[in-house]
Amino acid sequence: METQQRYVLGKRDEEGFYPVTVDEIPAGTVHRRHGSWYATMPGHPVQRAADRHQAAAHLVTLIDQGNRPTGPAPAPRTPASPIEGLRATRSYSHLVPQLRLSLANLVRAAEAMARLAELGWRPLEGYPGADQPWLMQCRLCGWKGRRFWSHLRGRNSDGIPRPITRHPGCKPVSEHAQALSDLAALRTSSCPCPPFPRDKHPMDVDACLDVLTSIQAALDGKAHMSAAIHARSILEPCPAATRRATALRAAYERHVKTQRDLKAGKGK
């Protein structure tokens, strides 16, 4: 209890970092990434923790040991492997550096981006995961800022984005339905995009399965550039993104079942 009373968490910044003072001494920051908390004191190793209080307590320990922040804060999005940080598209629609490039994450990213289009948002950076601040633009009024995908997708799978007011200064709630209806008219059920690099974006389960299989084969062979080229076809903006995301989910589930069956057969 004594340790908890000695530190103060400041206001979270746009990147999700909380500044921490210990006995009124600037000690570093704590932040949450994909279910875990981390304590960061510039000039010292980042420490993983179970919750924000444990993370802050680590900074208290460092201060008590005579440590002080030195040098610039470490970059919060440093890739942990050659695969991580790989930009999968030519635009903003790529995974952020610390989100591992895997089939599961790629499908989640495609689903999130498709749903953002339905809700009137345009992502301005790659999909960071459900519980991380995501820079995006409101297509109803042009506002730019960070929102959490977990808030936009709704709670307990109810599909109702929060808050209803979208963000401070947005159009009145009474005008949202018509604005979203106007945007919906721009979406299509087939891909009108020019072929790149060879074919249009995959729109049915078999085509999506071919792409996912190619990505997995490239990752298994550490052919990261090849994986990136294939990933572009499922992450690039497309007016038919909703149909593509639905097909990708079905293809991914088929892929997982096939792999599970193969492993079960080998074990017999």
Side-chain angles (χ1 to χ4, degrees):
M1 187 63 67
E2 179 183 356
T3 298
Q4 293 181 358
Q5 294 175 348
R6 293 176 54 199
Y7 68 79
V8 175
L9 296 180
K11 183 178 179 181
R12 180 180 65 82
D13 65 18
E14 288 191 345
E15 293 288 336
F17 287 76
Y18 296 81
V20 179
T21 57
V22 176
D23 299 334
E24 300 185 356
I25 300 172
T29 63
V30 299
H31 66 280
R32 187 171 184 261
R33 284 289 182 270
H34 308 299
S36 295
W37 281 85
Y38 299 87
T40 301
M41 177 182 284
H44 300 271
V46 176
Q47 177 66 37
R48 187 174 181 176
D51 55 41
R52 71 179 69 187
H53 302 296
Q54 189 181 96
H58 174 71
L59 297 178
V60 173
T61 300
L62 290 178
I63 291 293
D64 288 345
Q65 293 173 348
N67 297 294
R68 295 293 186 274
T70 59
R77 295 181 175 178
T78 301
S81 76
I83 296 177
E84 296 177 15
L86 180 64
R87 294 196 171 193
T89 75
R90 60 189 173 188
S91 64
Y92 58 79
S93 304
H94 53 79
L95 302 176
V96 295
Q98 82 274 21
L99 193 62
R100 186 169 65 90
L101 181 59
S102 66
L103 296 189
N105 282 337
L106 287 171
V107 172
R108 292 190 191 103
E111 291 175 324
M113 291 173 182
R115 182 58 176 153
L116 282 189
E118 295 174 355
L119 296 174
W121 293 95
R122 176 182 291 110
L124 300 179
E125 64 182 6
Y127 172 71
D131 59 353
Q132 304 305 316
W134 191 359
L135 183 63
M136 57 185 68
Q137 181 179 28
C138 176
R139 297 181 65 190
L140 273 57
C141 69
W143 175 88
K144 296 179 182 179
R146 295 187 181 276
R147 299 296 310 279
F148 286 86
W149 169 235
S150 58
H151 296 173
L152 293 178
R153 70 182 180 184
R155 301 189 184 102
N156 301 319
S157 301
D158 65 6
I160 303 175
R162 274 80 167 184
I164 295 177
T165 53
R166 294 176 67 91
H167 61 82
C170 192
K171 289 184 176 183
V173 175
S174 60
E175 298 180 16
H176 290 181
Q178 183 59 53
L180 292 175
S181 178
D182 293 340
L183 290 176
L186 302 177
R187 298 199 298 273
T188 62
S189 59
S190 60
C191 175
C193 306
F196 186 91
R198 291 179 299 276
D199 303 315
K200 290 189 175 184
H201 300 133
M203 289 291 130
D204 58 52
V205 177
D206 289 336
C208 288
L209 185 59
D210 287 343
V211 173
L212 295 181
T213 300
S214 297
I215 293 173
Q216 190 61 63
L219 293 177
D220 291 343
K222 300 188 183 304
H224 304 146
M225 185 57 66
S226 178
I229 292 174
H230 288 298
R232 287 174 60 166
S233 68
I234 62 176
L235 291 183
E236 284 181 334
C238 178
T242 297
R243 177 183 173 186
R244 178 178 59 182
T246 300
L248 278 168
R249 173 54 59 182
Y252 175 69
E253 292 176 353
R254 183 188 296 182
H255 173 82
V256 170
K257 183 180 184 302
T258 299
Q259 296 304 308
R260 187 186 304 119
D261 292 343
L262 288 174
K263 290 182 179 179
K266 290 181 180 180
K268 294 181 179 180

